[in-house]
Amino acid sequence: MSTPERDIEAVLDESGPDYDGFSFETPGGGHQSDVYLVTLSHAGEEYEVVVKFKPPGDVPFDVEPKLHEYVANRTDVPVPRILVFKRDPTVDVPPYFVTERVHGENLAEEFAGLSTDHRSRILRQAGTILGDMHSEIGFEAFGRLDLHDGRLIVRDWMGSWREYFEQLTRTHLSRLDDTRFADVADRATTRIEPALDVVPEDGVPRLVHDDFRPANLMFDAEAKAPITAVLDWQDVLAALPEYNLAQTEFLFVDSSFRDPEIRETLRSAFHEGYRSQRPMTFEEGYENRRPLYQLSTLLWRMAGFDAAFAEESGLAQARAEAQYRQQFERLIETIPS
């Protein structure tokens, strides 16, 4: 029977260096169970790597290691270096890749306890990272990224951003069926459909990390650039930059803090960092579209709620559900009519 220990041992025997023994753990912050932090022992020294296996189901696995290389070669975004990628392992394990272990803490586990100054530094760098990505990497159409003959392509591409965003949001809505949030789907649809006219059709599709959130960032609070790595490049789109910006404001600022002064401080730091890499006015049009993009992001989070909070206590789940519902009510009222 396959076990994590047996699979990791098979990977190390196939692709790893000489070692005397190893230990492993799963990362916190909401990562999938197919990711393991592995510590190798050899000649009295310890070495750390990360092993990620292809999850079950029909998911494009090849694109993530490709994007690590692609982004590293074109931007200054901190991404872990790929050490090994096996699409067809000779041992009896799923496809896998191994990356270097970037030191730091998972931001999701520490963010709430940081000072406003530390949070501002993180948001400023987050803006710099997105501005760098959006400036340097563009595509010819909107859609999800995939690989074909070793080249990055846009899968199921669309020429209209409005149409693609509508499709993306309808997918999130459809996944609410049979969840604890199924009751909000009709209200969300009623508000979203007439508001889609404010979403532009045209624009240059840019690289968008569609899961850019604290759980996918490593950070060192004392470092000059506190974000030490951007992880989990499996959900990546060719999309309008403003969608990525609104998402980030929601996941880092609006869903985490109620104090208007703190929100404004962090938002300003994020905008400042972004504008250091790429012009952006954050004008009235963006502010009108922001709650629509953020509601779409919240619907995505609602659809994945049970998986994300499976290991939490009933009380923690109840609190998180109440918070999601409060966020829903706030956003539904701010969407332009």
Side-chain angles (χ1 to χ4, degrees):
M1 178 181 294
S2 176
T3 65
E5 185 172 10
R6 188 204 71 83
D7 289 349
I8 292 168
E9 184 175 13
V11 166
L12 297 177
D13 288 345
E14 178 182 45
S15 302
D18 293 337
Y19 67 96
D20 301 320
F22 72 90
S23 60
F24 69 92
E25 60 182 325
T26 55
H31 287 282
Q32 303 94 329
S33 59
D34 49 287
V35 180
Y36 301 96
L37 310 179
V38 180
T39 301
L40 303 168
S41 300
H42 177 61
E45 299 288 339
E46 289 191 341
Y47 306 90
E48 296 177 318
V49 297
V50 179
V51 178
K52 181 168 185 176
F53 293 101
K54 180 182 181 298
D58 183 21
V59 295
F61 187 67
D62 293 11
V63 69
E64 186 170 2
K66 177 70 174 182
L67 276 166
H68 277 245
E69 176 186 12
Y70 190 84
V71 172
N73 289 341
R74 290 164 175 79
T75 72
D76 293 323
V77 176
V79 291
R81 184 165 50 98
I82 298 289
L83 304 176
V84 178
F85 171 46
K86 293 289 186 180
R87 182 182 295 105
D88 300 300
T90 58
V91 292
D92 184 22
V93 297
Y96 66 87
F97 61 83
V98 181
T99 74
E100 63 180 341
R101 174 86 178 270
V102 177
H103 285 279
E105 303 295 328
N106 185 279
L107 183 57
E109 298 174 351
E110 306 291 336
F111 193 56
L114 296 175
S115 68
T116 299
D117 179 63
H118 271 128
R119 293 180 193 136
S120 294
R121 291 174 58 226
I122 289 167
L123 264 295
R124 189 173 293 106
Q125 188 185 357
T128 300
I129 287 170
L130 294 189
D132 189 4
M133 281 178 16
H134 297 164
S135 295
E136 298 300 328
I137 303 175
F139 300 91
E140 295 182 353
F142 301 103
R144 197 164 294 278
L145 297 190
D146 206 341
L147 278 187
H148 179 70
D149 291 336
R151 294 176 55 251
L152 280 174
I153 63 167
V154 179
R155 173 165 50 94
D156 301 327
W157 63 272
M158 289 187 176
S160 166
W161 166 241
R162 184 186 300 166
E163 289 183 17
Y164 184 71
F165 173 71
E166 180 179 4
Q167 175 184 298
L168 196 66
T169 305
R170 288 188 182 279
T171 298
H172 300 332
L173 284 164
S174 69
R175 292 180 57 222
L176 292 179
D177 295 343
D178 302 321
T179 73
R180 68 185 69 203
F181 298 108
D183 58 296
V184 308
D186 287 343
R187 286 182 63 207
T189 302
T190 299
R191 290 291 290 172
I192 288 170
E193 285 186 346
L196 287 170
D197 286 345
V198 305
V199 177
E201 292 196 62
D202 301 324
V204 178
R206 298 290 181 176
L207 181 68
V208 165
H209 187 307
D210 202 30
D211 202 8
F212 191 81
R213 58 191 172 103
N216 287 330
L217 300 182
M218 301 298 292
F219 91 110
D220 178 351
E222 302 307 317
K224 182 177 180 180
I227 298 174
T228 58
V230 181
L231 309 176
D232 282 4
W233 292 83
Q234 60 189 21
D235 292 314
V236 182
L237 307 175
L240 276 196
E242 65 179 23
Y243 166 75
N244 208 183
L245 296 172
Q247 273 188 323
T248 304
E249 290 188 40
F250 178 69
L251 294 171
F252 286 75
V253 180
D254 297 317
S255 67
S256 301
F257 304 100
R258 293 185 179 183
D259 187 314
E261 186 174 342
I262 292 177
R263 284 184 176 180
E264 183 57 33
T265 297
L266 298 181
R267 203 185 315 276
S268 295
F270 176 60
H271 292 180
E272 178 187 332
Y274 190 82
R275 283 193 295 257
S276 72
Q277 300 294 313
R278 186 172 186 268
M280 178 72 182
T281 59
F282 297 98
E283 84 297 347
E284 182 180 355
Y286 167 75
E287 292 183 354
N288 286 337
R289 294 185 289 273
R290 180 169 59 198
L292 186 58
Y293 294 144
Q294 292 186 341
L295 179 59
S296 179
T297 300
L298 177 60
L299 295 172
W300 162 69
R301 298 191 82 195
M302 285 177 161
F305 182 93
D306 288 339
F309 289 90
E311 298 182 3
E312 300 291 339
S313 68
L315 179 59
Q317 289 186 17
R319 287 175 174 170
E321 179 181 348
Q323 183 182 39
Y324 277 32
R325 290 187 179 278
Q326 291 169 0
Q327 293 166 3
F328 178 83
E329 295 299 331
R330 177 181 64 81
L331 289 170
I332 208 80
E333 293 302 320
T334 53
I335 288 177
S337 56

